[in-house]
Amino acid sequence: MDNGEQPQQEQPQEATVALCWPLWDLAAPIGQHFGDNKDVYRRFGQEGHNGIDILVHDFTPVLASANGIVRYAGNGSGEPLMGNAAGECILIKHEDGSQTGYAHLSTVYVTEGYECKAGEVIGLSGHSGATTGSHLHWEYLPPSMDVRNGYMGRTNPLPLLGGAHG
């Protein structure tokens, strides 16, 4: 702009999706919260853990946290947003542009392009990829994801809980 005006910055899009817990067991314990273990994750260029690790046994049904379309399903090495460490994983894109990720699965039931509903079983938990044991790694990627935010673009999904299982 030649008139000295600053270009208007696009405002980040706020999430409009309410998430539901990704397991039938609403009391499943969290083993690692978002942002935990800063020293461990610093070596990966992160300020802390970029998701929620929920302690469950292998083969526990994993549920879609909100309605959406499966954007990726398979080994994380085939999806740059997930990576090798995720093992078998799923990314679901929601109507507001946000995504939820589910990692370290033993079994993936959905395929790319599948339209899933909140509360629908999409896979089974496990310990594939880089893990120290059985758990579900659950993460939220906001519509206006900034991969430089210190958590590879992720934000804490817990404040968005409030949806009901189908």
Side-chain angles (χ1 to χ4, degrees):
M1 298 185 154
D2 295 330
N3 61 5
E5 289 181 34
Q6 294 292 319
Q8 191 173 20
Q9 295 286 328
E10 184 177 330
Q11 294 299 313
Q13 184 180 0
E14 293 297 319
T16 57
V17 65
L19 301 178
C20 60
W21 190 243
L23 300 165
W24 284 324
D25 181 359
L26 300 177
I30 295 175
Q32 186 172 207
H33 285 270
F34 187 89
D36 279 357
N37 298 313
K38 294 178 185 326
D39 291 339
V40 171
Y41 290 94
R42 193 168 292 124
R43 67 177 172 223
F44 304 116
Q46 294 179 203
E47 292 183 24
H49 187 239
N50 67 355
I52 304 292
D53 285 351
I54 307 166
L55 304 178
V56 292
H57 296 289
D58 282 353
F59 312 114
T60 299
V62 174
L63 314 176
S65 294
N67 297 342
I69 306 239
V70 175
R71 195 180 73 66
Y72 184 80
N75 191 281
S77 61
E79 169 51 54
L81 284 177
M82 296 304 277
N84 228 11
E88 295 301 309
C89 62
I90 298 169
L91 271 174
I92 298 175
K93 188 165 189 172
H94 309 291
E95 70 177 34
D96 70 346
S98 68
Q99 298 179 76
T100 48
Y102 313 80
H104 309 307
L105 305 175
S106 64
T107 307
V108 172
Y109 287 153
V110 294
T111 57
E112 291 176 34
Y114 177 76
E115 189 172 336
C116 55
K117 300 291 181 198
E120 182 174 352
V121 177
I122 56 173
L124 300 176
S125 66
H127 57 271
S128 61
T131 69
T132 57
S134 301
H135 70 279
L136 170 64
H137 173 87
W138 178 51
E139 58 186 36
Y140 176 76
L141 298 81
S144 55
M145 187 175 91
D146 179 0
V147 295
R148 301 164 298 165
N149 76 344
Y151 300 96
M152 297 173 57
R154 279 76 169 162
T155 59
N156 188 351
L158 293 181
L160 299 173
L161 284 174
H165 290 294

